[in-house]
Amino acid sequence: MGKGGKSHEETKSGEDENMAAWLVGLNTLKIQPFKLPPLGPHDARVRMKAVGICGSDVHYLKTMRCADFVVKEPMVIGHECAGIIEEVGSEVKNLVPGDRVALEPGISCWRCDLCKDGRYNLCPEMKFFATPPVHGSLAHQVNL
Ligand SMILES: [Zn+2]
Ligand SMILES: [Zn+2]
């Protein structure tokens, strides 16, 4: 992987299209393109190196649901993962491209009182990889 802006050009040219494992129906996974939105100022883009298959992924595959969450539209599965930082948003100060990271699958806001208090698992804005409507991380690249 090149440094800095290189990945952008590769993505644009289509030679390095981001592919992911999509749950498209009962017991049906498909490897399909996964277009990522532009990076926000607090976001980072990670090139995935390893993604575990969790019990919840298998549950979604077999039943299209997990607890109260129901898969109504195709969703990228996977949430226990590790990779390498490829690009960071303008406000990100604690990561640089090339850093090796293990990802916390629950993405909290880090700005509310609960988050600032260290109880980010209770954040009302919590988003969780591979929990509708949030896509998972079984992909070449993800944003977080
Ligand atoms: Zn899990
Ligand atoms: Zn929060």
Side-chain angles (χ1 to χ4, degrees):
M1 227 22 260
K3 286 198 185 110
K6 279 259 171 61
S7 58
H8 257 328
E9 288 158 36
E10 286 167 22
T11 305
K12 257 187 235 155
S13 73
E15 287 164 15
D16 189 29
E17 193 166 26
N18 190 33
M19 303 298 279
W22 290 83
L23 175 59
V24 297
L26 213 53
N27 283 315
T28 309
L29 285 176
K30 281 191 178 166
I31 306 299
Q32 292 178 335
F34 179 30
K35 198 170 178 352
L36 299 174
L39 271 194
H42 297 278
D43 298 341
R45 181 157 301 156
V46 184
R47 178 155 291 264
M48 287 294 124
K49 287 296 185 182
V51 182
I53 303 296
C54 181
S56 67
D57 293 318
V58 176
H59 206 75
Y60 278 125
L61 178 68
K62 289 186 169 171
T63 66
M64 297 294 278
R65 63 181 304 145
C66 204
D68 290 340
F69 295 101
V70 180
V71 178
K72 293 177 181 146
E73 290 175 5
M75 176 181 81
V76 176
I77 61 161
H79 60 250
E80 274 114 17
C81 52
I84 296 174
I85 297 289
E86 218 165 55
E87 194 181 343
V88 296
S90 56
E91 298 297 316
V92 176
K93 309 292 182 209
N94 58 338
L95 292 167
V96 294
D99 279 350
R100 295 202 267 180
V101 291
L103 278 64
E104 163 71 82
I107 307 165
S108 62
C109 76
W110 295 111
R111 291 185 283 275
C112 73
D113 288 343
L114 285 163
C115 281
K116 286 178 180 167
D117 205 29
R119 300 195 294 161
Y120 66 93
N121 56 312
L122 301 175
C123 174
E125 289 182 48
M126 177 68 83
K127 293 183 232 163
F128 211 85
F129 273 149
T131 299
V134 182
H135 289 300
S137 57
L138 191 47
H140 287 158
Q141 296 174 308
V142 299
N143 286 354
L144 79 160

